[in-house]
Amino acid sequence: MGLTKTEIFTETQNELAQIAKLFAHPARIAILQHLIAVNACICGDLVDEIGLAQPTISQHLKELRKMGLIKGEVDGTRVCYCIDKIQWKNRVDAFKAFLDQDLNLGQECC
Amino acid sequence: MGLTKTEIFTETQNELAQIAKLFAHPARIAILQHLIAVNACICGDLVDEIGLAQPTISQHLKELRKMGLIKGEVDGTRVCYCIDKIQWKNRVDAFKAFLDQDLNLGQECC
DNA sequence: CATATTAATCGCAATAATACGATTAAAAGT
DNA sequence: ACTTTTAATCGTATTATTGCGATTAATATG
């Protein structure tokens, strides 16, 4: 086995896990932090900034783009990447709703 | 290769990724949702509720506990699990701080 | 004390994710 | 046209994760 049993979980559970997966690698955190800091940059800047090989950065960018967190605009031989702010808000709000659940803070558990 | 290069990232980046990893599997989302819903329950309840084998649930519980999101209290042959509310708040607040970063919503990117 | 209950751990098989060299593709510059 | 620049893709090696059967450990019960 080793295969996640997607079919036994709710759609929400699978979606939350998929969003979380994007944040579950320091390289993608670093990419997002840099994009937020400089507003927009090209792939090569991220390679220099982060210190992973170009194909590796490209692969992480692909995943972030696949889930809609970022977008890339071709400009000659370069591709300019930035946060997709609308999609970011959608995804992140869904995730924050989960994190913000009421924990019955008064009640003791075990 | 295939090894995440932890050493090239900041402590914050690695920590955020580690927290996110906990939420990056639907089984762990389901476990946390159930614990939040019923306040506390034993391992066997989660096995029945979620439909994965007992060793699999036990493994997920171990990871959640390792990072401090939940705690387990032995009670005879059973172990009662619940959200560790203090730790949950610590971890989740750190993560929300990242998600809530200012995106310069007015500014256009590319 | 024998047995049942409950959960952890071991060991393994299978899939997923990470990383990068080599190559390709596409546009820009000379 | 040739070369350079830039990023995507391919192929592959390696590590990580997931899942579970079998077993173990620990307590409870008859």
Side-chain angles (χ1 to χ4, degrees):
Chain A
M1 301 78 195
L3 169 60
T4 296
K5 295 187 160 177
T6 309
E7 70 280 4
I8 71 171
F9 301 106
T10 68
E11 207 172 324
T12 303
Q13 286 163 348
N14 284 313
E15 277 172 8
L16 287 172
Q18 267 204 305
I19 298 165
K21 208 170 283 186
L22 290 179
F23 299 115
H25 195 284
R28 290 191 291 272
I29 296 281
I31 288 171
L32 294 170
Q33 282 181 332
H34 195 249
L35 285 179
I36 289 170
V38 303
N39 199 51
C41 73
I42 63 171
C43 176
D45 292 340
L46 291 163
V47 173
D48 295 341
E49 175 73 18
I50 294 172
L52 289 171
Q54 179 267 320
T56 307
I57 295 292
S58 208
Q59 202 170 351
H60 284 303
L61 287 170
K62 189 182 180 182
E63 283 164 53
L64 291 169
R65 197 170 40 177
K66 193 173 67 189
M67 287 290 287
L69 280 195
I70 66 172
K71 54 185 176 179
E73 190 170 276
V74 179
D75 169 34
T77 61
R78 297 148 177 249
V79 178
C80 180
Y81 281 100
C82 64
I83 304 287
D84 187 330
K85 292 167 187 174
I86 308 294
Q87 295 266 22
W88 172 281
K89 186 164 166 34
N90 282 342
R91 300 291 187 180
V92 161
D93 281 359
F95 199 72
K96 283 201 297 186
F98 169 71
L99 295 180
D100 276 330
Q101 272 173 108
D102 185 10
L103 293 180
N104 296 316
L105 275 166
Q107 204 176 338
E108 261 314 304
C109 46
C110 48
Chain B
M1 303 77 195
L3 169 61
T4 296
K5 296 188 161 177
T6 309
E7 71 279 4
I8 71 172
F9 301 107
T10 68
E11 207 171 324
T12 303
Q13 286 163 348
N14 284 314
E15 276 172 9
L16 287 172
Q18 268 204 306
I19 299 166
K21 207 171 282 187
L22 290 179
F23 300 115
H25 195 285
R28 290 191 290 270
I29 296 280
I31 287 171
L32 294 170
Q33 282 181 332
H34 195 249
L35 285 180
I36 290 170
V38 303
N39 199 52
C41 73
I42 63 172
C43 176
D45 292 340
L46 291 163
V47 173
D48 295 343
E49 175 74 18
I50 294 172
L52 289 170
Q54 179 267 319
T56 306
I57 295 293
S58 208
Q59 201 171 349
H60 285 303
L61 288 170
K62 188 182 181 180
E63 282 163 54
L64 291 169
R65 197 171 38 175
K66 194 173 66 189
M67 287 289 287
L69 280 194
I70 66 173
K71 54 185 175 179
E73 190 170 277
V74 178
D75 168 36
T77 61
R78 298 150 177 246
V79 177
C80 180
Y81 282 100
C82 65
I83 303 286
D84 187 329
K85 292 166 187 174
I86 309 296
Q87 295 266 22
W88 172 282
K89 188 165 164 33
N90 282 343
R91 300 291 189 180
V92 160
D93 281 359
F95 199 71
K96 282 201 299 186
F98 170 72
L99 296 180
D100 275 331
Q101 272 171 108
D102 186 10
L103 294 180
N104 296 316
L105 275 166
Q107 205 176 337
E108 261 314 305
C109 45
C110 49

